[in-house]
Amino acid sequence: MNLINSSIRYGKVALKGLLCNKASTPPFLVLFITSACNLSCGHCFYWKKLNQKDDLTTNEIKKLSEELGSIENLNITGGEPFTREDFSEICRLFINNNSVKKIYVSTNGFFTDRTYSQVKKVLKETSLDLLVIEISLDGMADYHNKLRGNGESFQKALDTYNMLSELGKRDRRLQIHANSTVTSENIEEVRQLSHFLFDHCSSIEHHGIALIRDNWKEQSLQKPAAEKYRKLCLHIETLWKIRKKKRAGSLVEPLLQYAKLETIREGQQVIPCLAGVLSAVVYDNGDVGVCEIHKPLGNLRNRSFFEIWKSPEARILRNAIRAKKCFCTHEISMWPSIVFQPLQLIRAMIGTTLKKKLQES
């Protein structure tokens, strides 16, 4: 029955992408629930907008949830999401109002007790299929702590991991991932970190890596060379291969990295982007955008979500994206664009396989 339901849900999302249905609710929602953050990370692309005093209230988020239809994946980010005392209430709104089955949460892992309390409350929702806590780690302790401006940040993240590991033994819907942002200076750090996590953190099912985004805070940082990044991707994929067999998403990860590297190489969209169709972004202050690259199209305090989503400005931007007038390597837009466009999924699978054979020969 789960397979049938999953197939039906996949078909609905893929059809939405095929028809480019702009009027309906995007099935992938990135929700910045707060700008508050306790760290000062050198690689942060959102640093200029942190720690403002204009986060959406619980009632404003409730109004958004009630306006929207069904959502496949809810990606919660910030700021640091667990600084909000109503974190679990926000999750429940989307579970109950929008039939959300999968929630992904990006966190620096600093607030162990708050995380425990909020996660336990979310897991009380029996209709939720998956809650993934993605702990951000960017190297071993000394490097990570320096980059994030806090000498306790690495150990705090490990404390949160240990807590979640115990919690996950009692509820298998809870998964733990580690995410690392890669720059030119921390490639070896991330490599060492990946081995550390694999050897010492058996409950982590996935170690994801992402390229540093534009507009980061510490200007001395640089993007890594594409070839070095490719080798790191391959190394981590090989290391985690056994553990990743448990994850449905493990099939997509190599395709995602392949698409990112090809996008860098060609300097244009390789996978036709469906941002603004399959995915949307709502920021902590109520701004609404099709993705995190383009400027917001409007604000929920002035117009409803669908007034913004169906606006002439939104239509013009979607047409520009479809005409490949922009490109990026942001996972949150690329992932659904690969997975829910069957032809692109097949193309990426073939490209990844051929690339591996050429590298091995």
Side-chain angles (χ1 to χ4, degrees):
M1 183 62 70
N2 285 339
L3 179 60
I4 294 173
N5 289 338
S6 296
S7 298
I8 292 172
R9 292 173 74 92
Y10 176 88
K12 287 180 178 178
V13 176
L15 183 62
K16 187 173 291 188
L18 182 65
L19 298 176
C20 290
N21 190 343
K22 311 167 192 66
S24 59
T25 297
F28 291 81
L29 178 63
V30 181
L31 181 62
F32 286 68
I33 63 171
T34 182
S35 67
C37 189
N38 59 306
L39 299 182
S40 180
C41 305
H43 61 345
C44 181
F45 70 94
Y46 202 59
W47 63 281
K48 291 182 180 179
K49 298 181 180 179
L50 292 178
N51 298 309
Q52 304 300 310
K53 304 294 183 182
D54 57 352
D55 291 349
L56 290 174
T57 66
T58 310
N59 283 335
E60 287 173 322
I61 295 175
K62 180 174 182 285
K63 183 179 178 181
L64 168 67
S65 173
E66 290 173 344
E67 182 184 2
L68 297 174
S70 295
I71 296 172
E72 184 73 16
N73 279 23
L74 177 64
N75 291 75
I76 295 179
T77 186
E80 169 49 47
F82 290 105
T83 59
R84 278 196 76 137
E85 295 181 358
D86 58 351
F87 173 89
S88 60
E89 185 177 350
I90 291 170
C91 291
R92 288 198 298 268
L93 285 171
F94 287 93
I95 293 169
N96 295 320
N97 293 337
N98 310 101
S99 303
V100 165
K101 299 299 182 185
K102 299 177 182 179
I103 298 177
Y104 293 78
V105 186
S106 299
T107 177
N108 59 38
F110 199 89
F111 299 107
T112 304
D113 292 342
R114 293 185 196 180
T115 304
Y116 174 78
S117 174
Q118 297 293 340
V119 166
K120 278 196 70 176
K121 290 176 183 177
V122 174
L123 290 173
K124 289 181 180 179
E125 296 296 326
T126 56
S127 65
L128 182 68
D129 290 341
L130 183 67
L131 175 62
V132 181
I133 307 299
E134 301 179 315
I135 302 175
S136 298
L137 291 162
D138 300 302
M140 297 303 291
D142 289 345
Y143 180 85
H144 177 85
N145 291 342
K146 181 180 178 182
L147 181 69
R148 292 185 173 254
N150 187 297
E152 295 182 290
S153 58
F154 189 86
Q155 186 56 51
K156 290 283 190 179
L158 289 186
D159 292 344
T160 296
Y161 158 76
N162 288 326
M163 175 275 295
L164 291 170
S165 178
E166 290 302 312
L167 200 55
K169 291 175 184 178
R170 302 195 293 271
D171 194 324
R172 295 299 179 182
R173 295 175 300 159
L174 175 62
Q175 289 186 8
I176 314 167
H177 294 179
N179 283 345
S180 299
T181 298
V182 180
T183 70
S184 61
E185 72 172 29
N186 75 335
I187 284 183
E188 186 55 37
E189 283 284 342
V190 173
R191 189 188 304 268
Q192 292 178 29
L193 172 70
S194 199
H195 280 271
F196 173 84
L197 296 175
F198 187 84
D199 293 338
H200 299 284
C201 302
S202 59
S203 296
I204 291 181
E205 298 191 22
H206 169 62
H207 182 201
I209 60 173
L211 290 161
I212 187 172
R213 296 189 183 185
D214 292 335
N215 303 313
W216 56 85
K217 181 180 180 182
E218 179 52 62
Q219 291 305 301
S220 65
L221 297 176
Q222 300 293 328
K223 292 184 179 181
E227 180 60 17
K228 290 183 177 181
Y229 181 77
R230 183 193 67 78
K231 288 181 179 179
L232 179 64
C233 293
L234 183 60
H235 182 84
I236 292 176
E237 179 189 345
T238 303
L239 175 64
W240 289 78
K241 190 172 184 178
I242 294 176
R243 199 174 296 180
K244 285 185 176 182
K245 285 182 179 179
K246 303 175 185 177
R247 290 179 60 247
S250 64
L251 296 173
V252 181
E253 183 66 22
L255 311 183
L256 179 62
Q257 299 298 351
Y258 162 79
K260 285 195 288 187
L261 288 164
E262 287 298 293
T263 299
I264 294 170
R265 186 179 66 83
E266 295 192 15
Q268 63 178 0
Q269 287 184 33
V270 173
I271 303 296
C273 182
L274 289 178
V277 178
L278 292 185
S279 58
V281 182
V282 175
Y283 293 94
D284 44 85
N285 66 351
D287 283 343
V288 175
V290 300
C291 65
E292 295 169 80
I293 285 284
H294 293 286
K295 292 181 179 179
L297 295 164
N299 190 282
L300 293 174
R301 287 168 173 153
N302 302 320
R303 292 187 288 171
S304 72
F305 179 87
F306 281 114
E307 285 175 336
I308 298 169
W309 203 242
K310 299 176 185 179
S311 67
E313 298 90 343
R315 183 176 64 252
I316 291 169
L317 182 52
R318 286 191 191 93
N319 289 338
I321 293 171
R322 291 187 69 186
K324 299 187 176 182
K325 293 184 178 180
C326 60
F327 69 93
C328 73
T329 57
H330 290 194
E331 290 82 356
I332 198 65
S333 296
M334 296 187 81
W335 196 91
S337 294
I338 294 171
V339 174
F340 293 101
Q341 292 187 93
L343 290 178
Q344 299 305 323
L345 181 61
I346 294 169
R347 178 188 172 195
M349 291 174 70
I350 294 171
T352 303
T353 302
L354 292 176
K355 200 90 171 179
K356 281 186 178 179
K357 287 184 177 179
L358 287 172
Q359 290 163 359
E360 292 169 357
S361 62

